[in-house]
Amino acid sequence: MTQGERIEVPTALSQEQVRFFVDNGFLAAEGLVTPEEIEELKRDAAFIARGGYPSETLVPLPSDLTDDEVLRQILCIHHPYYVSPVMKRYALHPRICGALSQIVGAHLAHWDGNIKCMHSMLFIKPPQFQGRAWHQDETYIPTRDRTLTGAWIALDDATSENGGLWVIPGSHRAGYLYPERPETDPDEFDHADEAYGFDESTKVPVEVKAGTVVFFNGYLLHMSYKNRSDVYRRVLVNHYMSSSSLLPWSFKDGPTVAKADRRTVLHAAGVDPYAWKGYAEPEGGPSLRTCKATDDISKAVSTQS
């Protein structure tokens, strides 16, 4: 059985940064993405939304809209790297994957640096769009080995005013998944459940400049408020985990939960010990998602007409 090719990545973080991530569950790393790369990602976001890449699952917005008008209707684009070679390239960005290779399993005694990417979301979050209530990504992406790590690439300056991240430092340490209930403030948060049962008095904002990458562990409690500014808060979030762990995210008839292993993944750093299984084509495809802010605007227009 073969482990496949080795992907070499650079060392991107100091040991102090690695230790901060292990202890706190998050890390904001500046300068991993250049201004030119940020502009490329912004252009590709509009191109995807316009249906620039062939896709059966992504319905493009009307062609008579400007790029700004297109983006102002979108909360996020799910799975953009399924169709966009640009987004796929940034999921495998050497400096980002180099940092991930250092931190994803840094809490493990014999961490080998092997990582894979399994998920992607491109958040547009225009002005007045809702945020996301407290949650843990591990609830939705079941790695269960504490290596799930999000890489949150800020395409705009992210502040408390425009809906930037808030986190509870150290909330990942117990490896506990908090219960969820329907969110209680639909004007503040988009349609989703919220985690509860913890003390949020230690929450801190993670305000960063465009080009910064915020890494956060899958068990870390985090959230964002409504965008109350007049600017976007665009973010590309890719999720990674140890290549040595199975991914029981979804499975068809046949394998048990214990043996289920979703192979719609991207080998991102080091070697893939399960390369002998091969890689599956993405299930479904990308999709656009609006939110309550857009729905409210549409209802108001129809009422007035």
Side-chain angles (χ1 to χ4, degrees), residues 40-54 58 60-61 67 70-71 74 77 83-87 122 288:
E40 181 181 31
L41 284 168
K42 289 180 180 179
R43 289 192 300 271
D44 200 57
F47 191 70
I48 295 171
R50 287 188 172 284
Y53 299 106
L58 192 153
L61 293 171
D67 283 355
V70 166
L71 294 178
I74 301 171
I77 301 174
V83 293
S84 167
V86 174
M87 294 296 166
L122 178 61
L288 296 179

mmCIF file of all heavy atoms in Angstrom, residues 40-54 58 60-61 67 70-71 74 77 83-87 122 288:
data_model
loop_
_atom_site.group_PDB
_atom_site.id
_atom_site.type_symbol
_atom_site.label_atom_id
_atom_site.label_comp_id
_atom_site.label_asym_id
_atom_site.label_seq_id
_atom_site.Cartn_x
_atom_site.Cartn_y
_atom_site.Cartn_z
ATOM 1 N N GLU A 40 -7.064 38.736 -5.906
ATOM 2 C CA GLU A 40 -7.415 37.610 -6.766
ATOM 3 C C GLU A 40 -8.610 36.841 -6.197
ATOM 4 O O GLU A 40 -9.527 36.459 -6.933
ATOM 5 C CB GLU A 40 -6.212 36.674 -6.922
ATOM 6 C CG GLU A 40 -6.498 35.487 -7.838
ATOM 7 C CD GLU A 40 -5.313 34.549 -7.982
ATOM 8 O OE1 GLU A 40 -4.517 34.431 -7.016
ATOM 9 O OE2 GLU A 40 -5.178 33.920 -9.057
ATOM 10 N N LEU A 41 -8.619 36.637 -4.895
ATOM 11 C CA LEU A 41 -9.727 35.929 -4.257
ATOM 12 C C LEU A 41 -11.027 36.717 -4.363
ATOM 13 O O LEU A 41 -12.099 36.146 -4.598
ATOM 14 C CB LEU A 41 -9.388 35.649 -2.794
ATOM 15 C CG LEU A 41 -8.396 34.510 -2.549
ATOM 16 C CD1 LEU A 41 -7.905 34.524 -1.104
ATOM 17 C CD2 LEU A 41 -9.041 33.165 -2.884
ATOM 18 N N LYS A 42 -10.958 38.029 -4.198
ATOM 19 C CA LYS A 42 -12.156 38.860 -4.320
ATOM 20 C C LYS A 42 -12.738 38.784 -5.736
ATOM 21 O O LYS A 42 -13.960 38.666 -5.917
ATOM 22 C CB LYS A 42 -11.831 40.306 -3.968
ATOM 23 C CG LYS A 42 -11.570 40.568 -2.495
ATOM 24 C CD LYS A 42 -11.251 42.041 -2.271
ATOM 25 C CE LYS A 42 -10.993 42.352 -0.812
ATOM 26 N NZ LYS A 42 -10.670 43.797 -0.608
ATOM 27 N N ARG A 43 -11.865 38.843 -6.739
ATOM 28 C CA ARG A 43 -12.341 38.756 -8.126
ATOM 29 C C ARG A 43 -12.996 37.405 -8.393
ATOM 30 O O ARG A 43 -14.040 37.310 -9.052
ATOM 31 C CB ARG A 43 -11.181 38.978 -9.105
ATOM 32 C CG ARG A 43 -10.665 40.405 -9.162
ATOM 33 C CD ARG A 43 -9.741 40.598 -10.360
ATOM 34 N NE ARG A 43 -8.577 39.727 -10.315
ATOM 35 C CZ ARG A 43 -7.429 40.040 -9.715
ATOM 36 N NH1 ARG A 43 -7.293 41.210 -9.105
ATOM 37 N NH2 ARG A 43 -6.406 39.200 -9.727
ATOM 38 N N ASP A 44 -12.397 36.350 -7.853
ATOM 39 C CA ASP A 44 -12.934 35.016 -8.099
ATOM 40 C C ASP A 44 -14.267 34.812 -7.392
ATOM 41 O O ASP A 44 -15.130 34.085 -7.898
ATOM 42 C CB ASP A 44 -11.936 33.955 -7.644
ATOM 43 C CG ASP A 44 -12.201 32.598 -8.287
ATOM 44 O OD1 ASP A 44 -12.215 32.533 -9.538
ATOM 45 O OD2 ASP A 44 -12.417 31.618 -7.547
ATOM 46 N N ALA A 45 -14.460 35.459 -6.247
ATOM 47 C CA ALA A 45 -15.739 35.356 -5.543
ATOM 48 C C ALA A 45 -16.875 35.855 -6.426
ATOM 49 O O ALA A 45 -17.930 35.209 -6.544
ATOM 50 C CB ALA A 45 -15.691 36.152 -4.240
ATOM 51 N N ALA A 46 -16.696 37.004 -7.063
ATOM 52 C CA ALA A 46 -17.719 37.551 -7.954
ATOM 53 C C ALA A 46 -17.896 36.663 -9.181
ATOM 54 O O ALA A 46 -19.022 36.456 -9.658
ATOM 55 C CB ALA A 46 -17.343 38.968 -8.375
ATOM 56 N N PHE A 47 -16.792 36.108 -9.692
ATOM 57 C CA PHE A 47 -16.845 35.240 -10.870
ATOM 58 C C PHE A 47 -17.661 33.979 -10.573
ATOM 59 O O PHE A 47 -18.482 33.544 -11.383
ATOM 60 C CB PHE A 47 -15.425 34.873 -11.291
ATOM 61 C CG PHE A 47 -15.331 34.203 -12.632
ATOM 62 C CD1 PHE A 47 -15.577 34.898 -13.801
ATOM 63 C CD2 PHE A 47 -14.996 32.854 -12.728
ATOM 64 C CE1 PHE A 47 -15.492 34.279 -15.049
ATOM 65 C CE2 PHE A 47 -14.899 32.224 -13.956
ATOM 66 C CZ PHE A 47 -15.147 32.942 -15.116
ATOM 67 N N ILE A 48 -17.462 33.398 -9.393
ATOM 68 C CA ILE A 48 -18.223 32.213 -9.001
ATOM 69 C C ILE A 48 -19.705 32.552 -8.905
ATOM 70 O O ILE A 48 -20.569 31.830 -9.408
ATOM 71 C CB ILE A 48 -17.721 31.662 -7.655
ATOM 72 C CG1 ILE A 48 -16.282 31.160 -7.766
ATOM 73 C CG2 ILE A 48 -18.625 30.518 -7.170
ATOM 74 C CD1 ILE A 48 -15.654 30.803 -6.432
ATOM 75 N N ALA A 49 -20.011 33.661 -8.227
ATOM 76 C CA ALA A 49 -21.406 34.057 -8.018
ATOM 77 C C ALA A 49 -22.130 34.302 -9.337
ATOM 78 O O ALA A 49 -23.349 34.121 -9.430
ATOM 79 C CB ALA A 49 -21.466 35.298 -7.138
ATOM 80 N N ARG A 50 -21.400 34.718 -10.345
ATOM 81 C CA ARG A 50 -21.990 34.981 -11.662
ATOM 82 C C ARG A 50 -22.112 33.715 -12.510
ATOM 83 O O ARG A 50 -22.558 33.769 -13.653
ATOM 84 C CB ARG A 50 -21.145 35.998 -12.419
ATOM 85 C CG ARG A 50 -21.276 37.424 -11.888
ATOM 86 C CD ARG A 50 -20.559 38.393 -12.802
ATOM 87 N NE ARG A 50 -20.807 39.768 -12.445
ATOM 88 C CZ ARG A 50 -21.927 40.437 -12.700
ATOM 89 N NH1 ARG A 50 -22.929 39.828 -13.323
ATOM 90 N NH2 ARG A 50 -22.071 41.692 -12.336
ATOM 91 N N GLY A 51 -21.716 32.572 -11.944
ATOM 92 C CA GLY A 51 -21.789 31.331 -12.705
ATOM 93 C C GLY A 51 -20.658 31.181 -13.691
ATOM 94 O O GLY A 51 -20.809 30.521 -14.730
ATOM 95 N N GLY A 52 -19.508 31.780 -13.372
ATOM 96 C CA GLY A 52 -18.368 31.743 -14.274
ATOM 97 C C GLY A 52 -17.788 30.360 -14.491
ATOM 98 O O GLY A 52 -17.150 30.102 -15.517
ATOM 99 N N TYR A 53 -18.012 29.459 -13.525
ATOM 100 C CA TYR A 53 -17.549 28.078 -13.678
ATOM 101 C C TYR A 53 -18.760 27.172 -13.879
ATOM 102 O O TYR A 53 -19.754 27.301 -13.161
ATOM 103 C CB TYR A 53 -16.786 27.629 -12.430
ATOM 104 C CG TYR A 53 -15.560 28.456 -12.139
ATOM 105 C CD1 TYR A 53 -15.548 29.370 -11.082
ATOM 106 C CD2 TYR A 53 -14.390 28.316 -12.898
ATOM 107 C CE1 TYR A 53 -14.419 30.120 -10.794
ATOM 108 C CE2 TYR A 53 -13.255 29.061 -12.612
ATOM 109 C CZ TYR A 53 -13.282 29.967 -11.569
ATOM 110 O OH TYR A 53 -12.159 30.718 -11.291
ATOM 111 N N PRO A 54 -18.702 26.259 -14.833
ATOM 112 C CA PRO A 54 -19.835 25.365 -15.081
ATOM 113 C C PRO A 54 -20.198 24.575 -13.820
ATOM 114 O O PRO A 54 -19.342 23.989 -13.171
ATOM 115 C CB PRO A 54 -19.315 24.435 -16.186
ATOM 116 C CG PRO A 54 -18.226 25.206 -16.858
ATOM 117 C CD PRO A 54 -17.575 26.013 -15.767
ATOM 118 N N LEU A 58 -25.005 25.336 -8.767
ATOM 119 C CA LEU A 58 -24.911 26.758 -8.455
ATOM 120 C C LEU A 58 -25.685 27.558 -9.501
ATOM 121 O O LEU A 58 -25.321 27.589 -10.675
ATOM 122 C CB LEU A 58 -23.442 27.199 -8.420
ATOM 123 C CG LEU A 58 -23.156 28.580 -7.824
ATOM 124 C CD1 LEU A 58 -21.741 28.606 -7.250
ATOM 125 C CD2 LEU A 58 -23.289 29.671 -8.863
ATOM 126 N N PRO A 60 -26.532 30.893 -11.082
ATOM 127 C CA PRO A 60 -25.940 32.243 -11.103
ATOM 128 C C PRO A 60 -26.984 33.328 -10.904
ATOM 129 O O PRO A 60 -28.153 33.169 -11.263
ATOM 130 C CB PRO A 60 -25.306 32.318 -12.494
ATOM 131 C CG PRO A 60 -26.103 31.363 -13.329
ATOM 132 C CD PRO A 60 -26.451 30.231 -12.402
ATOM 133 N N LEU A 61 -26.556 34.435 -10.345
ATOM 134 C CA LEU A 61 -27.436 35.576 -10.176
ATOM 135 C C LEU A 61 -27.571 36.324 -11.511
ATOM 136 O O LEU A 61 -26.747 36.149 -12.414
ATOM 137 C CB LEU A 61 -26.881 36.491 -9.086
ATOM 138 C CG LEU A 61 -26.900 35.856 -7.685
ATOM 139 C CD1 LEU A 61 -26.154 36.716 -6.686
ATOM 140 C CD2 LEU A 61 -28.336 35.637 -7.220
ATOM 141 N N ASP A 67 -21.093 43.679 -10.123
ATOM 142 C CA ASP A 67 -20.448 42.789 -9.160
ATOM 143 C C ASP A 67 -20.888 43.119 -7.736
ATOM 144 O O ASP A 67 -21.149 42.227 -6.916
ATOM 145 C CB ASP A 67 -18.925 42.903 -9.254
ATOM 146 C CG ASP A 67 -18.360 42.159 -10.456
ATOM 147 O OD1 ASP A 67 -19.151 41.486 -11.158
ATOM 148 O OD2 ASP A 67 -17.143 42.252 -10.690
ATOM 149 N N VAL A 70 -24.360 41.877 -7.094
ATOM 150 C CA VAL A 70 -24.352 40.417 -6.945
ATOM 151 C C VAL A 70 -23.924 40.031 -5.543
ATOM 152 O O VAL A 70 -24.586 39.258 -4.843
ATOM 153 C CB VAL A 70 -23.413 39.774 -7.988
ATOM 154 C CG1 VAL A 70 -23.117 38.322 -7.633
ATOM 155 C CG2 VAL A 70 -24.021 39.850 -9.383
ATOM 156 N N LEU A 71 -22.799 40.585 -5.090
ATOM 157 C CA LEU A 71 -22.247 40.204 -3.796
ATOM 158 C C LEU A 71 -23.129 40.629 -2.640
ATOM 159 O O LEU A 71 -23.147 39.974 -1.585
ATOM 160 C CB LEU A 71 -20.845 40.792 -3.638
ATOM 161 C CG LEU A 71 -19.787 40.245 -4.601
ATOM 162 C CD1 LEU A 71 -18.457 40.944 -4.376
ATOM 163 C CD2 LEU A 71 -19.631 38.734 -4.439
ATOM 164 N N ILE A 74 -25.483 37.871 -1.177
ATOM 165 C CA ILE A 74 -24.958 36.562 -0.792
ATOM 166 C C ILE A 74 -24.400 36.571 0.623
ATOM 167 O O ILE A 74 -23.602 37.436 0.969
ATOM 168 C CB ILE A 74 -23.850 36.122 -1.770
ATOM 169 C CG1 ILE A 74 -24.388 36.060 -3.197
ATOM 170 C CG2 ILE A 74 -23.283 34.764 -1.362
ATOM 171 C CD1 ILE A 74 -23.307 35.858 -4.222
ATOM 172 N N ILE A 77 -20.857 31.216 -0.106
ATOM 173 C CA ILE A 77 -20.813 30.221 -1.180
ATOM 174 C C ILE A 77 -20.223 28.962 -0.572
ATOM 175 O O ILE A 77 -19.090 28.968 -0.074
ATOM 176 C CB ILE A 77 -19.957 30.698 -2.362
ATOM 177 C CG1 ILE A 77 -20.513 32.009 -2.925
ATOM 178 C CG2 ILE A 77 -19.907 29.623 -3.455
ATOM 179 C CD1 ILE A 77 -19.633 32.636 -4.003
ATOM 180 N N VAL A 83 -15.435 23.828 -7.827
ATOM 181 C CA VAL A 83 -15.466 24.247 -9.232
ATOM 182 C C VAL A 83 -14.363 25.244 -9.583
ATOM 183 O O VAL A 83 -13.987 25.344 -10.750
ATOM 184 C CB VAL A 83 -16.830 24.873 -9.611
ATOM 185 C CG1 VAL A 83 -17.938 23.842 -9.565
ATOM 186 C CG2 VAL A 83 -17.150 26.057 -8.715
ATOM 187 N N SER A 84 -13.863 25.977 -8.606
ATOM 188 C CA SER A 84 -12.906 27.035 -8.898
ATOM 189 C C SER A 84 -11.465 26.585 -8.681
ATOM 190 O O SER A 84 -11.067 26.272 -7.553
ATOM 191 C CB SER A 84 -13.182 28.249 -8.002
ATOM 192 O OG SER A 84 -12.092 29.162 -8.054
ATOM 193 N N PRO A 85 -10.651 26.586 -9.737
ATOM 194 C CA PRO A 85 -9.233 26.251 -9.557
ATOM 195 C C PRO A 85 -8.506 27.285 -8.706
ATOM 196 O O PRO A 85 -7.512 26.963 -8.051
ATOM 197 C CB PRO A 85 -8.696 26.211 -10.994
ATOM 198 C CG PRO A 85 -9.655 27.039 -11.796
ATOM 199 C CD PRO A 85 -10.985 26.838 -11.151
ATOM 200 N N VAL A 86 -9.003 28.519 -8.697
ATOM 201 C CA VAL A 86 -8.404 29.551 -7.848
ATOM 202 C C VAL A 86 -8.620 29.202 -6.382
ATOM 203 O O VAL A 86 -7.683 29.215 -5.563
ATOM 204 C CB VAL A 86 -8.994 30.937 -8.174
ATOM 205 C CG1 VAL A 86 -8.473 31.984 -7.185
ATOM 206 C CG2 VAL A 86 -8.660 31.339 -9.593
ATOM 207 N N MET A 87 -9.859 28.887 -6.015
ATOM 208 C CA MET A 87 -10.160 28.541 -4.629
ATOM 209 C C MET A 87 -9.434 27.260 -4.208
ATOM 210 O O MET A 87 -8.964 27.142 -3.068
ATOM 211 C CB MET A 87 -11.669 28.374 -4.443
ATOM 212 C CG MET A 87 -12.444 29.667 -4.624
ATOM 213 S SD MET A 87 -12.011 30.916 -3.374
ATOM 214 C CE MET A 87 -12.729 32.397 -4.093
ATOM 215 N N LEU A 122 -17.003 30.280 1.460
ATOM 216 C CA LEU A 122 -16.612 31.646 1.142
ATOM 217 C C LEU A 122 -17.712 32.583 1.633
ATOM 218 O O LEU A 122 -18.790 32.665 1.044
ATOM 219 C CB LEU A 122 -16.415 31.794 -0.367
ATOM 220 C CG LEU A 122 -16.053 33.185 -0.889
ATOM 221 C CD1 LEU A 122 -14.731 33.659 -0.309
ATOM 222 C CD2 LEU A 122 -15.984 33.178 -2.413
ATOM 223 N N LEU A 288 -24.966 28.816 -3.652
ATOM 224 C CA LEU A 288 -25.063 30.154 -3.076
ATOM 225 C C LEU A 288 -26.064 30.126 -1.931
ATOM 226 O O LEU A 288 -27.078 29.429 -1.997
ATOM 227 C CB LEU A 288 -25.538 31.160 -4.129
ATOM 228 C CG LEU A 288 -24.640 31.407 -5.334
ATOM 229 C CD1 LEU A 288 -25.295 32.425 -6.266
ATOM 230 C CD2 LEU A 288 -23.274 31.908 -4.903
#
